[in-house]
Amino acid sequence: MPVESRALVVHGGGPTAVLNASLAGIIEAWTEAENGSLFGARFGVQGLVAGDWIDLSSAGPEQVRALRTAPGSAIGSSRMNLSETAAERLLVDLRRKRVACLFYTGGNGSMGTAWMLAQLAERKYPALRVVGVPKTVDNDLMVTDHSPGFGSAARFYALATRDIGEDNRALRSPVTVVETIGRNAGWVAGATALARQDADDAPHLIYLPERPPTIETICQDVTSQVERLGRAVVIACEGLRDPEGIPFGAALDRAGSAQHELAQNLGHVLAQRVSAMTGLRARSEKPGLLGRSCSFAVSSIDSDESYRCGRAAVEAAVAGCGGTMVALRRVSSEPYRCETFLTPLASVANAERLVPDAWITPSGSDVTPEFVEYVRPLLSPIEERRRFGAI
C-alpha cells in the first residue's frame, strides 16, 4: 500500500456505548502503521456520498484515549440507504481521492452495504479494501460469537432489572413491565436473567420475539407469578409480537418498513392490557435509547473487544484482506478469552442471528442456563444487592 494512500471510516446504524472504542483502535493502528491520512465520514453514509469527511489524522494521543470511553459516535452515524447507483458514483470519487481502505462499522444492514461496495470495488476499483467492523446492541450478526455493543447494553438492562426488582420487592406494584431494546432478536431481553441473585428475583418472566406469546398466555403467566410471590417483573423485548405478528395493539413507528418498523410503546400497552384483563395494577418502564448509549454501565470486556476489533480491521486492510469483516471467536468461557478473526462480508451481510430455540425454556417465558452461561462473561460482573430481613 503506498504511503500517500488514504483511509476512510464510516459508522452505520445506531451508536453504542463502545462504538468510539473501535474508532480509537482504528486511529491508533492506522497511525502506528504510518499509512497516510485517515478520515471519518461525517454522519455515516450521508457524509460518505457528500464527501463531507473529518480529518482523523490530526487526533492526538489524549483525544484518542478519551474516545475509548466516550459514548455515541464521534464522527456521527446514519441509517441512510446507499443505492447501487450512488455506490458506483462513490467509487469513482474514492478512486479520485486515493482512498485505499474503507472501514465500515455497523450491524447486518451496514455489512450489506459494505459487501455491495466490496463487490463493486472488485470490478471498478480493485485497489480499494473494504473491511467491516462489527457493532450492534442487538447481537444479531452472524458468524461472530457476539457483537461489540451488545455486552454493554445487556449489562445496562441487567442492572436496571436488578434494581427495578428490588423496588418491586420493597413496594409491590405488583406488576412492572420492562421494555428492552431488540428488534427481532431477544439477546438483550434474555440477558436480564443475569439480574437474578436468588431464584425468585426479577425478572420473573422474559418474553423474546423468537417465541411469540399470546396476550392470554402473558396474563396467565403474570397472574401465576403474583399469586405465588405477590409481585411480577416482566421483561418484554420491543420487537415482541403475538403469534399473528401483531404487537398487541401498540402503535407502530415507520409502519410498513421491513427494516425500520417497530412498536413505539409496547411496554406501556402490555401493562395496560395486563391490568385490564387481570385486574392487577401494572406499570411499565422503557429506558429506550438510554440502554444502548449509557456510559456508566459499560462492560469493560465489551469496550476492550470493540477497541481490538478496530485495530484488527486496520491490520486486515494493511495485509490486503478486503471484502471481510472482523469477527470474535470464543476460545474459552472460564476463564473467558476471545480472539479476532476474519469472515467474508458475504457471510454476514443482511443476515440475522436469532436466539436459538433450544436456549428458550419450553414455557417460552424464560431463557435456559445455556443462554445465561453464554452471555455471563460478556457483561462484566453484575454486583449482588445485600438484603436485610426476608421480604
Side-chain angles (χ1 to χ4, degrees), residues 162-196:
R162 179 198 64 184
D163 292 356
I164 287 171
E166 291 302 294
D167 187 280
N168 179 261
R169 177 192 296 273
L171 184 61
R172 299 174 181 178
S173 293
V175 181
T176 302
V177 178
V178 181
E179 180 182 328
T180 72
I181 53 177
R183 186 177 303 276
N184 298 317
W187 295 102
V188 172
T192 62
L194 270 73
R196 296 173 182 143

Side-chain angles (χ1 to χ4, degrees), residues 107-116 141-142 325 344-352:
N108 44 37
S110 295
M111 293 306 115
T113 302
W115 173 228
M116 176 181 67
L141 273 167
M142 298 293 288
M325 185 193 81
L345 282 169
S347 68
V348 293
N350 301 312
E352 196 171 45

Side-chain angles (χ1 to χ4, degrees), residues 37-76:
S37 300
L38 177 67
F39 299 89
R42 195 189 306 271
F43 297 109
V45 171
Q46 184 177 326
L48 179 64
V49 299
D52 186 5
W53 301 353
I54 302 167
D55 185 1
L56 302 176
S57 303
S58 59
E62 290 187 9
Q63 288 178 293
V64 177
R65 278 195 295 271
L67 272 180
R68 292 192 63 170
T69 56
S73 168
I75 58 176

